Amino acid sequence: MKVQMDAASVLAIAASLFKSGLLDAGRTEAKRYFRELEAGRELILTDMTMPDKSALRVKLQLLPQEFRGNLNFSAFKEQLLYLTAELAKVINAKAEPLVMSDDGGNQLLFNIPALTYIDGVLNALVLGADLRRPGALVLQLMFIDPEQYRSAEVKTATS
């Protein structure tokens, strides 16, 4: 069964699971999760029952290719904390998130960046979601090129 889910629902699920499953986890457990993600493995966050009684497995994957610097547990946790806070702002404002998607709406990219300086280097983390697998929602933590946000920051500051 193909998963049908709107962007706001994906956002709410992600923010809730990041907080309860990763950020509130004990340090030892959270580090183990990070090591799994860092190794390229998907982390099962939860199994949910949908309103139509179908099962949905929510997984998480990390796409660190654009991370600048040394990605360690502390840097990951800081980025995730900022991303979760940014997602919560959008959810609490009941604002429509800016989302890019493929034609079928099966792959989503939320333009809600968590921008942080780690050891003096700017990084940007965003949330993606893959709904192409039957019965699964794969949340994707993606590091993207932060320069696109820096130039907007500079233009705003000089305008």
Side-chain angles (χ1 to χ4, degrees):
M1 171 207 86
K2 187 177 163 220
V3 177
Q4 293 292 327
M5 192 175 292
D6 63 57
S9 296
V10 171
L11 206 60
I13 289 169
S16 175
L17 290 176
F18 293 163
K19 172 103 176 69
S20 65
L22 297 170
L23 295 171
D24 290 348
R27 185 167 175 82
T28 302
E29 188 176 15
K31 279 182 115 171
R32 184 173 49 84
Y33 294 156
F34 170 70
R35 283 193 296 275
E36 290 289 315
L37 292 168
E38 184 183 37
R41 292 187 281 278
E42 292 180 351
L43 187 64
I44 297 172
L45 295 178
T46 193
D47 289 316
M48 300 173 62
T49 302
M50 301 302 288
D52 67 359
K53 306 292 185 228
S54 61
L56 177 68
R57 174 160 278 180
V58 183
K59 298 179 176 184
L60 179 65
Q61 67 181 180
L62 178 64
L63 304 170
Q65 292 81 354
E66 293 289 326
F67 185 82
R68 297 174 179 189
N70 179 31
L71 183 58
N72 56 33
F73 172 70
S74 296
F76 171 75
K77 188 172 180 180
E78 181 177 344
Q79 286 279 166
L80 186 59
L81 187 63
Y82 280 105
L83 179 63
T84 303
E86 292 300 318
L87 299 179
K89 286 179 192 174
V90 172
I91 293 166
N92 293 336
K94 296 185 181 2
E96 188 65 32
L98 180 57
V99 181
M100 295 174 274
S101 71
D102 64 352
D103 291 338
N106 297 316
Q107 289 183 283
L108 309 174
L109 179 66
F110 294 88
N111 190 11
I112 306 170
L115 300 171
T116 58
Y117 281 93
I118 298 173
D119 296 328
V121 179
L122 181 65
N123 276 286
L125 180 66
V126 295
L127 173 65
D130 185 345
L131 297 161
R132 295 176 296 171
R133 297 184 202 169
L137 163 61
V138 181
L139 299 172
Q140 300 166 318
L141 293 173
M142 292 184 219
F143 285 96
I144 60 172
D145 181 6
E147 294 304 317
Q148 59 192 311
Y149 298 104
R150 186 190 312 252
S151 55
E153 206 175 82
V154 170
K155 287 177 190 168
T156 303
T158 60
S159 301

